[in-house]
């Protein structure tokens, strides 16, 4: 026995230190495992499924004999796909980052209205855009923002583009979303999932448990910073002096889906917080008071988002900014807790994906 020649007190001290080391490591192990299996993989699976569904609806609509597309069916499939993407945005590490795929899912912000400017020429009857050319084309004409323009833009709808012209682009957009979503899921199920789980000195990306934990939480911080500094602040004109309210700077203003986008963002935060155990992990590190603050702020922000049934676009267009301003302030408070309080409580460094908008 290793303790055979040691005194009782020495043996007890060694055992105590060993147990303390194990107990200190165990919470990180449990959190990383749950984050992968109850958060990262399910959200990638949902994105792959919703993208597949959107592609199937587009295919069905474009292959039938009807002279016009059923926009309602396409729009609903798009909304489900966008919700899945909004939930996935916090997982901005791993393959989506290394392969720079985020822009292929959504081109935004778009303050210069590049989506409309780039797509209009492609809808011309003589436009020649093969699948190969599309794959190499600008990310502006790819992904969910581009599909939103085709399905929701009121000015485009008034021009009544042909079914063939719309389907030519929609089919390639939906197909690419399906392929990229499936690719991300497969890579997380394979090498990237193993890489996150098997942290250690020989793991370049995750040399220790704390680094793995930091990446997972930093993804949430980056999402919250984007939500608080871009998704409402720009439209409210709150970042610059004398700036006016501009609802056209909202995310997904064409579909009037901006409020639902933020609800989906917070659903993702909530999933990691509750189901994947971030709250219990924080509490295990002696930060119960902080966990209670985050819980309260998260709930308050969600309640504010649900308190008004109007879209942000319609509200800001009518000059009604109270709810949007309250939501934005609550988002900022939640972001502050993640940016300053959590790193201090856990002894980790965040900011790998800094997007504070300063």
């Amino acid at each position: 026995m290793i303790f055979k020649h040691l005194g009782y007190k020495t043996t007890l001290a060694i055992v105590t230190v060993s147990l303390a080391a194990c107990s200190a490591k165990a919470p990180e192990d449990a959190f990383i495992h749950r984050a992968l299996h109850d958060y990262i993989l399910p959200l990638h699976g949902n994105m792959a499924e919703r993208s597949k569904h959107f592609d199937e609806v587009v295919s069905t609509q474009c292959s039938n004999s009807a002279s016009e597309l059923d926009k309602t069916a396409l729009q609903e499939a798009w909304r489900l796909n966008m919700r899945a993407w909004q939930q996935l945005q916090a997982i901005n590490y791993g393959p989506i980052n290394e392969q720079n795929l985020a822009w292929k899912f959504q081109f935004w912000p778009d303050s210069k209205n590049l989506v409309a400017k780039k797509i209009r020429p492609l809808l011309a009857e003589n436009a020649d855009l093969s699948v190969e050319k599309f794959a190499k084309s600008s990310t502006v004409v790819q992904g969910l923002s581009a599909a939103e323009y085709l399905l929701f833009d009121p000015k485009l709808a008034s021009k009544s583009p042909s079914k063939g012209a719309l389907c030519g682009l929609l089919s390639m957009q939906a197909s690419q979303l399906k392929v990229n979503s499936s690719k991300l899921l497969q890579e997380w199920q394979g090498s990237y999932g193993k890489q996150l789980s098997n942290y250690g000195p020989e793991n370049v990306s995750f040399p220790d448990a704390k680094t793995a934990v930091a990446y997972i939480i930093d993804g949430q911080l980056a999402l919250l910073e984007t939500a608080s500094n871009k998704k409402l602040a720009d439209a409210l004109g709150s970042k610059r002096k004398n700036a006016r309210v501009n609802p056209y700077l909202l995310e997904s203003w064409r579909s009037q889906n901006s409020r639902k986008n933020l609800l989906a963002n917070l659903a993702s935060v909530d999933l990691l917080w509750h189901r994947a155990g971030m709250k219990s992990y924080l509490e295990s590190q002696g930060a119960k008071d902080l966990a209670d603050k985050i819980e309260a702020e998260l709930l308050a922000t969600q309640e504010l988002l649900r308190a008004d049934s109007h879209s942000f676009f319609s509200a800001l267009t009518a000059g009604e900014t109270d709810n949007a301003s309250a939501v934005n302030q609550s988002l900022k408070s939640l972001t502050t807790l993640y940016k300053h309080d959590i790193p201090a409580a856990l002894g980790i460094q965040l900011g790998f994906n800094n997007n504070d908008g300063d």
Side-chain angles (χ1 to χ4, degrees):
M1 183 177 177
I2 193 170
F3 301 132
K4 183 176 179 180
H5 301 293
L6 299 177
Y8 171 75
K9 290 184 178 180
T10 305
T11 301
L12 182 60
I14 293 174
V15 171
T16 302
V17 171
S18 299
L19 290 174
C22 289
S23 62
K25 185 179 179 182
E28 280 79 27
D29 281 344
F31 175 60
I32 293 167
H33 178 83
R34 291 178 66 180
L36 177 61
H37 294 281
D38 295 338
Y39 176 67
I40 294 173
L41 290 176
L43 289 187
H44 277 88
N46 185 49
M47 182 64 186
E49 187 62 32
R50 293 308 186 186
S51 297
K52 179 183 177 184
H53 174 66
F54 181 47
D55 181 62
E56 289 172 346
V57 174
V58 170
S59 179
T60 298
Q61 287 295 315
C62 290
S63 62
N64 65 30
S65 59
S67 58
E68 295 183 1
L69 294 170
D70 181 352
K71 286 282 188 73
T72 301
L74 288 164
Q75 289 171 347
E76 180 57 26
W78 178 90
R79 288 190 182 96
L80 292 172
N81 206 166
M82 176 57 90
R83 174 178 169 77
W85 164 244
Q86 293 291 326
Q87 292 179 332
L88 196 68
Q89 285 180 339
I91 308 171
N92 47 31
Y93 41 90
I96 196 167
N97 179 53
E98 293 185 11
Q99 299 172 32
N100 198 27
L101 287 174
W103 287 106
K104 288 184 178 291
F105 285 103
Q106 182 190 20
F107 181 82
W108 188 83
D110 184 20
S111 59
K112 297 181 180 179
N113 199 22
L114 292 176
V115 168
K117 292 175 182 177
K118 293 287 186 179
I119 289 181
R120 282 172 193 151
L122 300 179
L123 291 172
E125 291 298 331
N126 60 348
D128 179 22
L129 186 65
S130 65
V131 174
E132 291 75 17
K133 287 183 179 179
F134 178 80
K136 297 177 182 179
S137 64
S138 168
T139 54
V140 177
V141 303
Q142 302 173 18
L144 290 159
S145 294
E148 179 189 21
Y149 173 73
L150 296 175
L151 295 174
F152 293 93
D153 190 85
K155 290 184 178 180
L156 179 64
S158 68
K159 296 178 181 179
S160 301
S162 69
K163 177 180 177 181
L166 289 173
C167 282
L169 273 172
L170 272 174
S171 296
M172 286 186 279
Q173 290 162 352
S175 177
Q176 187 185 66
L177 283 166
K178 181 183 72 171
V179 169
N180 287 337
S181 298
S182 178
K183 181 179 181 182
L184 283 180
L185 174 61
Q186 290 172 5
E187 292 184 345
W188 269 111
Q189 289 173 328
S191 59
Y192 282 96
K194 292 177 181 177
Q195 188 177 24
L196 179 64
S197 299
N198 299 321
Y199 58 81
E202 296 182 358
N203 188 327
V204 176
S205 298
F206 308 110
D208 53 58
K210 285 284 189 180
T211 301
V213 168
Y215 264 91
I216 294 166
I217 297 177
D218 191 61
Q220 301 262 298
L221 173 60
L223 174 66
L224 289 171
E225 285 182 329
T226 299
S228 61
N229 289 310
K230 297 297 296 181
K231 294 195 175 189
L232 282 179
D234 284 350
L236 286 167
S238 59
K239 292 171 65 177
R240 300 182 304 277
K241 290 183 178 179
N242 303 319
R244 298 180 179 179
V245 172
N246 185 352
Y248 293 98
L249 293 179
L250 287 166
E251 184 187 32
S252 301
W253 65 266
R254 289 183 171 93
S255 57
Q256 299 195 32
N257 210 64
S258 305
R259 184 183 295 274
K260 292 181 179 179
N261 285 358
L262 285 172
L263 280 168
N265 290 157
L266 292 184
S268 177
V269 173
D270 195 278
L271 185 65
L272 184 69
W273 181 251
H274 287 111
R275 182 178 173 186
M278 182 175 163
K279 178 185 177 183
S280 58
Y281 170 61
L282 202 58
E283 290 174 340
S284 75
Q285 302 304 293
K288 186 180 186 308
D289 288 347
L290 175 58
D292 290 342
K293 287 182 182 179
I294 293 173
E295 176 102 10
E297 199 63 58
L298 178 57
L299 179 61
T301 312
Q302 290 171 313
E303 288 179 344
L304 280 169
L305 279 164
R306 297 188 181 104
D308 193 334
S309 60
H310 298 94
S311 71
F312 283 129
F313 183 81
S314 63
L316 296 190
T317 300
E320 299 170 359
T321 61
D322 287 353
N323 179 256
S325 296
V327 169
N328 200 49
Q329 186 55 52
S330 192
L331 282 168
K332 287 183 179 296
S333 298
L334 185 59
T335 302
T336 297
L337 292 171
Y338 270 73
K339 187 171 186 176
H340 300 294
D341 297 61
I342 288 178
L346 298 179
I348 59 175
Q349 180 181 351
L350 302 181
F352 313 114
N353 301 287
N354 190 280
N355 191 27
D356 59 16
D358 294 336

